[in-house]
Amino acid sequence: MADFYVRTARTMQDVLAHRGSVKAMSAGHGERKDAKRIMALVVNTLSYRAALQHILKQVDLVKKEPKWFGSASPLNRTQGALPQPAPSMSDCVMLVMLHDLLFTSRGIQAAKAWPPRERMEKYKSQLHAELVRLQIRQGKKSVEELRSGAAERRVAARIPRWCRINTLQVTEQDALQQLQAAGFTRTESDTLEHVYAFCPSLHVAHVWAFHPRATSKLMSLPLYKTGGLILQDLASCFPAAVLAPPDRDYAQIHALDATSAPGNKTSHLSALMRGQGRLVALERAPQRFKTLTQMLDKAGALATQHGNVYPQNTDFLTLDPQDESYAAIRYMLLDPSCSGSGIVNRLDYLTSHDDEQDNLEQVVPDAESSSVAEQTRLTSLASLQQRMIRHAMTFPHLERFTYSTCSIHPEENEHVVMQVLASEEAQQGAWTLAPRAEVLPTWPERGQPEACGGDESVAQCLVRCTPGGTSECGASAVHRMASNGFFVCCFVRRTAPRPAKRARRH
Ligand SMILES: C[S@@+](CC[C@H](N)C(=O)[O-])C[C@H]1O[C@@H](n2cnc3c(N)ncnc32)[C@H](O)[C@@H]1O
């Protein structure tokens, strides 16, 4: 059992060092049967992290027990070089043990003689006293209220369980019949009165809002298991819907998803292209590429199935836009890595088995990150995001591309757009923003004018989603419009593009 705490601590350390999601890191450090337990303890520890760290600081175990909890602890011997400010192994072991000591009835589940357990339990009453002191000071009715994210959970409760009918696999009519046969009822009313009620989105075709508590019921349906129903947040359906209007002939269109895994936007775009033309889906991370191909396979989106998708484990920034394999690309989805700050109730997402959980690459609660570290991270993400957009702008036959993030920060959204519009690539390629009329015109929430240098006309071209919806959504229809936080815009050329040369198939 001591080994369990060490593996859990290592998983948490990897997550805090942004090496991967909780799910992926738990699988990496535990046997299949253990991975779930590791994941649960990491998630719970992270959600109490601010309180646990405060308590450890007050009792100062590092100073009192330097042999096991100080920097020279044997627990730290096996750790490799970690990007700062990742905590040490001994810090992580303390956190996961303290979680079990203070927040579970069973306490620490390791052999009594294991020195770290013995050393920590020696201070049990002091640690408890600090917990109670913190609870009183923060005016909480119970220690459980020290869990971070209570406000987030309230916002999450407003967001429906959005699903997209995957028209590569099933018609909307068939999906409707299967859902009705399973007891679901379609409503046009403004509220989802019961757990089996659902209604269509007001803004994107084939996307339906289900009751937030319907997820497990939906996931037990053959319609879901065979890829006919995809769990996908409403806002995440915006980019493909904006990029590929349904009235086009896609047979001759070459498209690229530059940053694809886990692939929901890719399969959505493939469906909107009716499986015609050619859609190359890039993903640079090998593990995520594996997930991408599995998801595309389940959705029937691969070119070898009903779709048109050719996945490639390639870094978008290494593509040569002049290479004739890519020169014919006319449409592009660009949904690069971002802070994920718009994703609501992230810890709940981590423990659920949901199609979207892999959407999150960096899923560390921000309880302890200093504003300086956060700002540094945003600056570096924004610089990468700009680089990706400027690279996209150099593809010679590209006509339009969407840029999207699941971030609420202007640094990754409006600011990035303003910077790239002023870039050399934008000038040379005559890139501008598609007008509101082409970018979900009826969606009420637009870009923030103050983040666009006060330019209201630019802000109108941009779409934003506030996590859980805003009052602009209309109080009565909030359940039909609320989503995670999101940002999307579409770049188009000011002048007509040159006709595409015939490209070699690859
Ligand atoms: C936000 S996620 C994309 C989510 C995806 N569009 C979806 O809806 O399912 C960003 C993905 O882009 C990948 N990525 C980041 N930079 C990349 C690059 N230069 N080339 C290819 N993939 C990249 C990341 O590994 C990650 O899987």
Short mmCIF file of all heavy atoms in Angstrom, two decimals, residues 236 258-265 282-285 288 314-317 335-337 359 361 388, ligand 1:
data_model
loop_
_atom_site.label_atom_id
_atom_site.label_comp_id
_atom_site.label_asym_id
_atom_site.label_seq_id
_atom_site.Cartn_x
_atom_site.Cartn_y
_atom_site.Cartn_z
N SER A 236 -17.81 23.53 -28.62
CA SER A 236 -16.81 22.78 -29.36
C SER A 236 -17.30 22.42 -30.78
O SER A 236 -16.51 22.06 -31.65
CB SER A 236 -16.46 21.53 -28.54
OG SER A 236 -15.97 20.52 -29.32
N ALA A 258 -5.40 21.03 -38.14
CA ALA A 258 -3.97 21.16 -37.81
C ALA A 258 -3.63 20.55 -36.46
O ALA A 258 -2.49 20.13 -36.23
CB ALA A 258 -3.58 22.63 -37.84
N THR A 259 -4.61 20.52 -35.55
CA THR A 259 -4.35 20.07 -34.16
C THR A 259 -5.56 19.25 -33.73
O THR A 259 -6.49 19.77 -33.16
CB THR A 259 -4.21 21.32 -33.26
OG1 THR A 259 -5.34 22.18 -33.50
CG2 THR A 259 -2.94 22.09 -33.52
N SER A 260 -5.54 17.97 -33.98
CA SER A 260 -6.81 17.22 -34.03
C SER A 260 -7.25 16.46 -32.78
O SER A 260 -8.45 16.32 -32.56
CB SER A 260 -6.75 16.20 -35.16
OG SER A 260 -6.39 16.81 -36.36
N ALA A 261 -6.31 15.87 -32.04
CA ALA A 261 -6.75 14.94 -30.98
C ALA A 261 -7.53 15.66 -29.88
O ALA A 261 -7.18 16.79 -29.54
CB ALA A 261 -5.53 14.25 -30.37
N PRO A 262 -8.57 15.05 -29.32
CA PRO A 262 -9.01 13.68 -29.58
C PRO A 262 -9.84 13.49 -30.84
O PRO A 262 -10.14 12.35 -31.19
CB PRO A 262 -9.83 13.35 -28.34
CG PRO A 262 -10.36 14.66 -27.88
CD PRO A 262 -9.30 15.67 -28.20
N GLY A 263 -10.28 14.57 -31.49
CA GLY A 263 -10.85 14.39 -32.82
C GLY A 263 -12.32 14.69 -32.99
O GLY A 263 -12.88 14.42 -34.05
N ASN A 264 -12.96 15.28 -31.98
CA ASN A 264 -14.38 15.57 -32.15
C ASN A 264 -14.64 16.63 -33.22
O ASN A 264 -15.61 16.53 -33.97
CB ASN A 264 -14.99 16.02 -30.82
CG ASN A 264 -15.25 14.85 -29.90
OD1 ASN A 264 -15.33 13.71 -30.36
ND2 ASN A 264 -15.38 15.12 -28.61
N LYS A 265 -13.77 17.63 -33.27
CA LYS A 265 -13.98 18.65 -34.30
C LYS A 265 -13.66 18.06 -35.68
O LYS A 265 -14.29 18.41 -36.67
CB LYS A 265 -13.13 19.89 -34.03
CG LYS A 265 -13.55 20.61 -32.75
CD LYS A 265 -12.78 21.88 -32.50
CE LYS A 265 -13.07 22.46 -31.13
NZ LYS A 265 -12.49 21.70 -30.01
N LEU A 282 -3.99 16.28 -38.41
CA LEU A 282 -2.66 16.20 -37.80
C LEU A 282 -2.74 16.14 -36.29
O LEU A 282 -3.61 16.78 -35.69
CB LEU A 282 -1.82 17.43 -38.17
CG LEU A 282 -1.60 17.76 -39.63
CD1 LEU A 282 -0.66 18.95 -39.73
CD2 LEU A 282 -1.03 16.57 -40.39
N GLU A 283 -1.82 15.41 -35.70
CA GLU A 283 -1.64 15.43 -34.25
C GLU A 283 -0.18 15.09 -33.99
O GLU A 283 0.32 14.10 -34.49
CB GLU A 283 -2.57 14.42 -33.57
CG GLU A 283 -2.32 14.21 -32.09
CD GLU A 283 -2.33 15.48 -31.25
OE1 GLU A 283 -3.27 16.27 -31.34
OE2 GLU A 283 -1.33 15.68 -30.48
N ARG A 284 0.47 15.93 -33.17
CA ARG A 284 1.91 15.71 -33.00
C ARG A 284 2.23 14.75 -31.85
O ARG A 284 3.25 14.09 -31.87
CB ARG A 284 2.64 17.03 -32.82
CG ARG A 284 2.45 17.61 -31.47
CD ARG A 284 3.31 18.80 -31.17
NE ARG A 284 2.83 19.30 -29.89
CZ ARG A 284 3.14 20.44 -29.36
NH1 ARG A 284 3.94 21.25 -30.01
NH2 ARG A 284 2.67 20.81 -28.21
N ALA A 285 1.38 14.66 -30.83
CA ALA A 285 1.70 13.83 -29.66
C ALA A 285 1.33 12.37 -29.96
O ALA A 285 0.15 12.08 -30.23
CB ALA A 285 0.94 14.34 -28.45
N ARG A 288 -1.66 10.89 -27.97
CA ARG A 288 -2.92 11.51 -28.36
C ARG A 288 -3.30 11.14 -29.79
O ARG A 288 -4.47 11.09 -30.15
CB ARG A 288 -2.86 13.03 -28.16
CG ARG A 288 -2.81 13.40 -26.67
CD ARG A 288 -2.62 14.87 -26.45
NE ARG A 288 -3.74 15.70 -26.87
CZ ARG A 288 -4.85 15.91 -26.16
NH1 ARG A 288 -4.99 15.35 -24.98
NH2 ARG A 288 -5.81 16.68 -26.62
N THR A 314 1.91 14.10 -37.11
CA THR A 314 2.85 15.11 -37.63
C THR A 314 2.65 16.43 -36.91
O THR A 314 1.54 16.76 -36.50
CB THR A 314 2.55 15.33 -39.15
OG1 THR A 314 2.65 14.08 -39.81
CG2 THR A 314 3.50 16.32 -39.79
N ASP A 315 3.73 17.17 -36.78
CA ASP A 315 3.67 18.51 -36.19
C ASP A 315 3.30 19.51 -37.29
O ASP A 315 3.99 19.61 -38.30
CB ASP A 315 5.06 18.84 -35.60
CG ASP A 315 5.05 20.14 -34.82
OD1 ASP A 315 4.28 21.05 -35.18
OD2 ASP A 315 5.83 20.25 -33.86
N PHE A 316 2.23 20.22 -37.06
CA PHE A 316 1.75 21.19 -38.06
C PHE A 316 2.84 22.20 -38.44
O PHE A 316 2.98 22.57 -39.61
CB PHE A 316 0.52 21.91 -37.48
CG PHE A 316 0.05 23.09 -38.27
CD1 PHE A 316 -0.37 22.95 -39.58
CD2 PHE A 316 0.02 24.37 -37.70
CE1 PHE A 316 -0.82 24.06 -40.32
CE2 PHE A 316 -0.42 25.46 -38.41
CZ PHE A 316 -0.84 25.31 -39.73
N LEU A 317 3.62 22.61 -37.44
CA LEU A 317 4.62 23.66 -37.71
C LEU A 317 5.75 23.16 -38.62
O LEU A 317 6.52 23.96 -39.14
CB LEU A 317 5.18 24.20 -36.39
CG LEU A 317 4.18 25.04 -35.58
CD1 LEU A 317 4.73 25.35 -34.20
CD2 LEU A 317 3.80 26.31 -36.31
N ASP A 335 -7.17 24.61 -33.71
CA ASP A 335 -7.68 24.60 -32.33
C ASP A 335 -6.51 24.19 -31.44
O ASP A 335 -6.47 23.09 -30.91
CB ASP A 335 -8.83 23.55 -32.28
CG ASP A 335 -9.52 23.45 -30.94
OD1 ASP A 335 -9.86 24.50 -30.38
OD2 ASP A 335 -9.73 22.33 -30.46
N PRO A 336 -5.52 25.08 -31.31
CA PRO A 336 -4.26 24.66 -30.69
C PRO A 336 -4.34 24.53 -29.18
O PRO A 336 -5.36 24.83 -28.55
CB PRO A 336 -3.30 25.80 -31.07
CG PRO A 336 -4.18 26.98 -31.21
CD PRO A 336 -5.53 26.50 -31.65
N SER A 337 -3.23 24.10 -28.60
CA SER A 337 -3.14 23.96 -27.15
C SER A 337 -3.44 25.31 -26.50
O SER A 337 -2.99 26.35 -27.00
CB SER A 337 -1.74 23.52 -26.76
OG SER A 337 -1.40 22.36 -27.47
N ASN A 359 -9.79 16.23 -24.30
CA ASN A 359 -9.66 17.56 -24.89
C ASN A 359 -8.71 18.40 -24.06
O ASN A 359 -8.11 19.34 -24.52
CB ASN A 359 -11.04 18.23 -24.85
CG ASN A 359 -11.38 18.84 -26.17
OD1 ASN A 359 -10.56 18.87 -27.07
ND2 ASN A 359 -12.59 19.32 -26.28
N GLU A 361 -5.53 19.13 -22.12
CA GLU A 361 -4.15 18.69 -22.05
C GLU A 361 -3.57 19.07 -20.71
O GLU A 361 -2.79 18.37 -20.12
CB GLU A 361 -3.33 19.39 -23.12
CG GLU A 361 -3.73 19.01 -24.49
CD GLU A 361 -3.16 20.02 -25.40
OE1 GLU A 361 -3.81 21.04 -25.66
OE2 GLU A 361 -2.02 19.82 -25.86
N MET A 388 1.27 29.52 -34.75
CA MET A 388 0.45 28.56 -35.51
C MET A 388 -0.43 29.31 -36.52
O MET A 388 -0.56 28.90 -37.68
CB MET A 388 -0.45 27.75 -34.57
CG MET A 388 0.25 27.07 -33.44
SD MET A 388 0.86 25.45 -33.84
CE MET A 388 -0.52 24.44 -33.48
C1 LIG B 1 -7.04 21.68 -27.84
S1 LIG B 1 -6.44 20.18 -28.39
C2 LIG B 1 -7.39 19.89 -29.85
C3 LIG B 1 -8.76 19.35 -29.59
C4 LIG B 1 -9.44 18.88 -30.86
N1 LIG B 1 -9.51 19.95 -31.84
C5 LIG B 1 -10.83 18.36 -30.60
O1 LIG B 1 -11.79 19.11 -30.67
O2 LIG B 1 -10.99 17.18 -30.32
C6 LIG B 1 -4.90 20.60 -29.12
C7 LIG B 1 -4.19 19.39 -29.72
O3 LIG B 1 -3.21 19.88 -30.61
C8 LIG B 1 -2.03 19.14 -30.46
N2 LIG B 1 -0.94 20.01 -30.96
C9 LIG B 1 -0.40 21.08 -30.35
N3 LIG B 1 0.54 21.65 -31.14
C10 LIG B 1 0.56 20.92 -32.28
C11 LIG B 1 1.31 21.02 -33.48
N4 LIG B 1 2.25 21.96 -33.64
N5 LIG B 1 1.07 20.13 -34.46
C12 LIG B 1 0.12 19.16 -34.30
N6 LIG B 1 -0.59 19.00 -33.17
C13 LIG B 1 -0.39 19.88 -32.17
C14 LIG B 1 -1.98 18.81 -28.99
O4 LIG B 1 -1.17 17.69 -28.76
C15 LIG B 1 -3.44 18.55 -28.71
O5 LIG B 1 -3.77 17.21 -28.89
#
